[in-house]
């Protein structure tokens, strides 16, 4: 709906696109601390307040007459959503037997992949009538989520939760791995769009179909990925995701074939799930206080890695399209040795 935003507010397409940054930057930065504070205040109460805040921010976005105020509402949406994902993951881990955690995280990842894949389609359909309906719709969804049942907290918050508990070596290790993976894999749909447009001159609709291969494959494979993590361990899932992801990114850069690019991008979606389930199982597999803060920090670094991709790879692509994908593949492959450096002196959570 970016073209419709541009026309409605009378701003350039580039300025309209900055609404993505206005959402993602507060989302990622606040998430560095949201898990710790949410655990301290009580996860269920925090999640409900966050959804209620999202209702208000999304409803305001549908009504504002000025772009600067629309940007403010996007930032508020990012702040509100920063208090949902890490706390929901922590609740999921708390109610799931340890030997089935990978499968549960795989299901969670499948739902995320489905949402990320369908969101552009739903938003585009809403924009056919008026882009404001999209924000009215997500306000209603957030309202329903705020009223939805959640497993009760074991106790009224974690008053002993401390920010420093979330910044332990094993958490920073996991965050560094997922930062690299998301910067060089999940953050590259724009680069794939450039590639298929330059090679095959596809229409926007067909380019969009190619890009959905990532999310669809991730959705279909997520449960199997989770089961593999349960059986072979999170570290094996991580290694497989990084190595296969490197091969997939290299293939996109080296093989000028539309089926090859589409299949490679779909494989990338499976690899993204392998990395995500492996990292989340590593961080959430422990016991005690600090899991909310730890997964919050790791998730924030994941999205910061995604947000870094355009700045890192756009110029490189214009210099050499194949090289940009080979660099991404090289970083993914180089991250595999980091798995052997995981701190062993403390629990992941």
């Amino acid at each position: 709906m970016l073209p419709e935003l541009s026309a409605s507010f009378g701003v350039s397409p580039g300025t309209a696109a900055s609404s993505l940054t206005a959402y993602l930057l507060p989302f990622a930065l606040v998430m560095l601390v949201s898990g710790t504070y949410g655990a301290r205040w009580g996860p269920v109460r925090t999640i409900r307040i966050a959804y209620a805040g999202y209702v208000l921010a999304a409803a305001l976005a549908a009504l504002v007459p000025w772009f600067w105020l629309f940007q403010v509402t996007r930032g508020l949406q990012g702040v509100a959503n920063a208090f949902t994902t890490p706390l929901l993951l922590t609740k999921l881990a708390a109610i799931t037997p340890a030997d089935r955690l990978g499968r549960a995280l795989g299901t969670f990842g499948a739902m995320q992949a489905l949402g990320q894949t369908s969101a552009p389609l739903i938003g585009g359909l809403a924009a056919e009538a008026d882009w404001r309906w999209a924000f009215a719709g997500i306000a209603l969804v957030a309202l329903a989520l705020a009223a939805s049942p959640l497993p009760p907290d074991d106790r009224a918050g974690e008053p002993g939760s401390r920010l420093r508990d979330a910044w332990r070596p094993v958490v920073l290790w996991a965050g560094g791995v997922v930062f690299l993976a998301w910067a060089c894999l999940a953050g590259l749909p724009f680069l794939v769009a450039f590639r298929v447009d330059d090679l095959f001159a596809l229409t926007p609709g067909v380019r969009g179909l190619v890009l959905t291969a990532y999310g669809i494959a991730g959705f279909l494979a997520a449960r199997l990925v989770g089961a593999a993590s349960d059986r072979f361990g999170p570290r094996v899932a991580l290694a497989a995701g990084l190595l296969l992801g490197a091969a997939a990114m290299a293939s996109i850069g080296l093989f000028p074939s539309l089926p090859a690019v589409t299949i490679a991008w779909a494989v990338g979606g499976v690899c993204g799930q392998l990395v995500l389930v492996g990292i989340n199982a590593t961080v959430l597999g422990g016991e005690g206080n600090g899991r909310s803060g730890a997964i919050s920090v790791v998730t924030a670094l994941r999205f910061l890695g995604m947000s870094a991709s355009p700045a890192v790879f756009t110029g490189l692509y214009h210099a050499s399209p194949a090289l940009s994908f080979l660099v991404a593949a090289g970083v993914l492959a180089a991250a595999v040795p980091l798995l052997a450096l995981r701190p062993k002196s403390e629990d992941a959570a």
Side-chain angles (χ1 to χ4, degrees):
M1 66 181 72
L2 292 178
E4 286 74 23
L5 285 175
S6 174
S8 178
F9 287 113
V11 298
S12 69
T15 301
S18 69
S19 61
L20 300 173
T21 304
Y23 172 87
L24 285 173
L25 190 59
F27 174 63
L29 292 178
V30 173
M31 204 183 296
L32 290 170
V33 299
S34 62
T36 298
Y37 283 116
R40 187 181 301 175
W41 300 331
V44 170
R45 176 172 57 184
T46 302
I47 290 169
R48 295 200 189 286
I49 292 174
Y51 278 133
Y54 200 98
V55 170
L56 295 176
L60 185 59
L63 299 173
V64 294
W66 306 294
F67 186 71
W68 68 266
L69 187 54
F70 177 77
Q71 294 283 70
V72 171
T73 68
R74 292 293 286 155
L76 292 174
Q77 289 170 55
V79 170
N81 205 22
F83 286 91
T84 60
T85 299
L87 295 174
L88 288 170
L89 279 168
T90 305
K91 296 294 292 183
L92 182 66
I95 64 173
T96 303
D99 62 345
R100 297 187 61 83
L101 181 59
R103 292 176 179 84
L105 292 173
T107 300
F108 188 94
M111 295 301 102
Q112 283 191 315
L114 183 62
Q116 291 165 352
T117 300
S118 61
L121 174 62
I122 295 172
L125 291 174
E128 292 285 347
D130 190 323
W131 63 265
R132 297 177 188 274
W133 284 113
F135 288 93
I138 59 175
L140 291 175
V141 171
L143 183 62
L145 291 171
S148 297
L150 284 168
D153 294 333
D154 292 335
R155 53 189 178 274
E158 295 180 6
S161 296
R162 300 170 298 178
L163 291 175
R164 65 185 181 186
D165 292 337
W167 291 87
R168 291 167 290 120
V170 71
V171 177
L172 298 179
W173 168 87
V177 171
V178 81
F179 178 94
L180 294 175
W182 247 238
C184 299
L185 184 61
L188 298 185
F190 73 97
L191 210 64
V192 178
F194 288 162
R195 185 68 166 159
V196 297
D197 185 45
D198 290 342
L199 288 176
F200 314 114
L202 302 179
T203 65
V206 178
R207 288 200 304 271
L209 286 175
V210 171
L211 293 179
T212 61
Y214 184 99
I216 292 172
F219 170 74
L220 294 175
R223 287 282 293 178
L224 292 175
V225 164
S229 177
D230 286 334
R231 181 173 182 180
F232 301 108
R235 196 175 304 192
V236 172
L238 275 170
L242 292 170
L243 288 174
L244 289 174
M249 293 305 99
S251 297
I252 294 174
L254 293 176
F255 301 112
S257 160
L258 183 58
V261 170
T262 304
I263 292 171
W265 187 233
V267 170
V270 178
C271 296
Q273 289 296 335
L274 281 165
V275 171
L276 189 58
V277 169
I279 285 291
N280 287 343
T282 297
V283 175
L284 293 169
E287 299 292 340
N289 286 358
R291 287 195 297 183
S292 295
I295 197 63
S296 184
V297 169
V298 169
T299 304
L301 290 171
R302 174 161 64 97
F303 282 100
L304 287 173
M306 179 182 288
S307 66
S309 295
V312 173
F313 288 103
T314 300
L316 186 59
Y317 178 86
H318 290 308
S320 173
L323 181 61
S324 64
F325 286 98
L326 291 176
V327 167
V331 172
L332 291 171
V336 175
L338 294 177
L339 305 185
L341 301 178
R342 174 189 170 188
K344 299 179 180 179
S345 60
E346 55 182 319
D347 199 334

